[in-house]
């Protein structure tokens, strides 16, 4: 085997994007790149307990401390998990995934232990909300960033799989959530498994592209979702007029999906939580494939509209478990699926080179959505009941769908876009 550095060279496609070709994944990693998919998916599967397993604990925790107080703990966790995305993107760039992921594992495990043993609200907020949220955010950012780097030719499918694992992780936890030792076991699994998954991970060289796929030919044949006209730094993206509506769209989607995650559990309907998480996990790959065919903007609007309508179905099914489960399935297929589209939306609107930082900025909208959909919604539920809260969630979902229709490529005249490109 020759020296891979001598084999590597750069090419440019019709859009001016650079690709480093000539090195195989086995030369760089010592094994097939699919190995990184299994490692990052497994790490996300375990870490997802912190978010998707929380809903199962809401009835017991709210009986101890009160619904509003417990919801603010989860809102803080969400704010830290999403809000750390920008510094985490820079952090993993400096340290690499082999160091960033174990650190995330330690912090996530501390959060789960605090959730199990906290005897005061400040301890719960500090341990689970702050430390656990930061750890989960570091794991999330590291796994997504690694998947993007190793699968530039199949980003949609791999990101869908990795983020779906984050949603699916809480499902096996639901039946045992009421047992005191369950969170201790979950903390140990998170520490051991996520650390073990992180240590072998490596990043490929910048702009790496698998040598068995011609990037220039691929650029000619994949026209549904056009790439960015040039790279936009975060400050430029903010001034472009596209980042702000995309940020607000993600905020609306996050608010609705997190609201469902918590408030479907309050009546003690664990089956609906399982349906919600399973539909979320299955819906993300489906949304990714659909977006490759009809465009990401269209798919985003369809997902948000589905999530908005789902709130009305859930509200009408409060006394009917079958209808409630249908609503939970629609909710899982709806607003949560925007995360499977977000990485490619950012790349196609703001460019490849600045994608990690721009993605981190827009993903932090989930922090705002967590405050709206969990913290403030808990106050609304407590004082006004479920009907106003679910109606508000429905309005947010539909508003997000309408706002998603206003997205456009920065700097590109609309006449240069295909009929419904992303």
């Amino acid at each position: 085997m020759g020296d891979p550095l001598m084999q590597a060279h750069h090419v440019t496609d019709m859009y001016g994007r650079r690709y480093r070709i000539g090195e195989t994944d086995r030369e760089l990693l010592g094994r097939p790149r699919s190995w990184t998919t299994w490692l990052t998916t497994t790490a996300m599967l375990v870490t997802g307990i912190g978010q998707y397993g929380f809903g199962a604990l809401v009835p017991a925790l709210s009986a101890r401390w009160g619904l509003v107080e417990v919801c603010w703990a989860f809102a803080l966790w969400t704010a830290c998990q999403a809000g750390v995305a920008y510094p985490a993107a820079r952090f993993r760039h400096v340290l690499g995934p082999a160091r960033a992921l174990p650190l995330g594992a330690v912090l996530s495990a501390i959060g789960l232990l605090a959730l199990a043993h906290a005897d005061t609200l400040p301890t719960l907020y500090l341990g689970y909300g702050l430390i656990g949220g930061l750890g989960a955010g570091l794991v999330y950012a590291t796994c997504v960033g690694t998947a993007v780097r190793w699968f530039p030719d199949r980003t949609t499918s791999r990101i869908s799989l990795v983020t779906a694992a984050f949603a699916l992780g809480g499902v096996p936890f639901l039946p045992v959530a009421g047992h005191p030792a369950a969170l201790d076991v979950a903390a140990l699994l998170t520490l051991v498994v996520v650390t073990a998954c992180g240590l072998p991970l490596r990043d490929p060289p910048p702009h790496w592209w698998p040598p068995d796929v011609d990037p220039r030919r691929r650029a000619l044949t994949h026209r549904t979702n056009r790439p960015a006209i040039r790279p936009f730094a975060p400050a430029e993206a903010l001034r472009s007029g596209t980042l702000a509506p995309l940020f607000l769209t993600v905020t609306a989607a996050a608010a609705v999906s997190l609201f469902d995650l918590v408030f479907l559990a309050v009546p003690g309907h664990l089956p609906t939580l399982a349906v919600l998480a399973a539909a979320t996990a299955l819906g993300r790959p489906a949304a990714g494939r659909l977006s490759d065919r009809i465009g990401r903007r269209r798919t985003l609007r369809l997902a948000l509209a589905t999530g908005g309508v789902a709130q009305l179905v859930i509200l009408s099914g409060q006394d009917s478990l079958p209808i409630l489960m249908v609503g939970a399935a629609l909710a899982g297929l709806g607003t949560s699926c925007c995360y499977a589209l977000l990485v490619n939306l950012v790349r196609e609107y703001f460019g490849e080179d600045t994608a990690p930082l721009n993605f981190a900025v827009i993903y932090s909208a989930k922090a705002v959505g967590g405050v709206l959909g969990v913290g403030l919604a808990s106050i609304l539920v407590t004082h006004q009941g479920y009907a106003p809260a679910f109606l508000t969630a429905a309005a947010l979902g539909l508003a997000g769908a309408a706002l998603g229709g206003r997205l456009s490529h920065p700097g590109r005249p609309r006449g240069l876009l295909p009929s419904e490109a992303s």
Side-chain angles (χ1 to χ4, degrees), residues 253-254 256-257 260 276 279-284 287 299-311 327-341 397:
V256 178
S257 62
D260 289 336
L276 176 70
T280 298
L282 296 174
R284 292 187 183 189
T299 306
L300 179 65
R301 295 180 68 189
L302 178 61
L304 290 173
T306 301
V309 171
Q311 308 311 305
L330 289 174
L333 293 171
T335 48
S336 295
C337 291
C338 78
Y339 300 116
L341 311 175

Side-chain angles (χ1 to χ4, degrees), residues 182-227:
L183 283 169
D184 292 332
V185 173
L188 180 61
L189 280 175
T190 299
L191 179 62
V192 173
V193 173
V194 177
T195 299
C197 289
L199 292 177
L201 287 179
R202 301 291 185 272
D203 281 339
H207 306 293
W208 177 79
W209 189 267
D212 56 336
V213 180
D214 186 341
R216 290 169 293 189
R217 181 181 298 275
R218 188 174 183 274
L220 289 172
T221 57
H222 286 69
R223 303 294 293 275
T224 304
N225 298 288
R226 292 276 184 98

Side-chain angles (χ1 to χ4, degrees), residues 77-286:
W77 186 96
T78 302
C80 292
Q81 186 265 331
V84 77
Y86 190 88
R90 292 190 175 275
F91 188 74
R92 81 170 300 285
H93 178 72
V94 174
L95 291 184
R99 294 180 181 176
L101 211 56
L103 177 58
V106 172
L107 298 177
S108 297
I110 292 173
L112 292 174
L113 290 174
L115 191 58
H117 300 289
D119 53 5
T120 64
L121 279 174
T123 304
L124 182 68
Y125 292 155
L126 175 63
Y128 171 71
L130 179 62
I131 297 176
L134 292 175
L138 186 55
V139 172
Y140 193 103
T142 301
C143 290
V144 169
T146 301
V148 169
R149 287 167 171 82
W150 279 110
F151 289 90
D153 56 325
R154 283 183 271 168
T155 303
T156 301
S157 62
R158 297 299 159 163
I159 292 301
S160 299
L161 179 62
V162 170
T163 59
F166 191 70
L168 196 60
V171 174
F173 178 76
L174 298 181
V176 298
H179 296 277
L183 283 169
D184 292 332
V185 173
L188 180 61
L189 280 175
T190 299
L191 179 62
V192 173
V193 173
V194 177
T195 299
C197 289
L199 292 177
L201 287 179
R202 301 291 185 272
D203 281 339
H207 306 293
W208 177 79
W209 189 267
D212 56 336
V213 180
D214 186 341
R216 290 169 293 189
R217 181 181 298 275
R218 188 174 183 274
L220 289 172
T221 57
H222 286 69
R223 303 294 293 275
T224 304
N225 298 288
R226 292 276 184 98
I229 195 168
R230 65 175 178 84
F232 289 78
E236 292 180 296
L238 183 61
R239 295 191 298 267
S240 70
T242 297
L243 187 145
L246 183 55
F247 188 95
L248 293 174
T249 301
V250 176
T251 298
V256 178
S257 62
L258 293 169
F259 171 79
D260 289 336
L261 179 61
V262 172
F263 291 100
L264 277 175
V266 173
H269 291 146
L270 291 186
T272 62
L273 277 182
V275 170
L276 176 70
T280 298
L282 296 174
R284 292 187 183 189

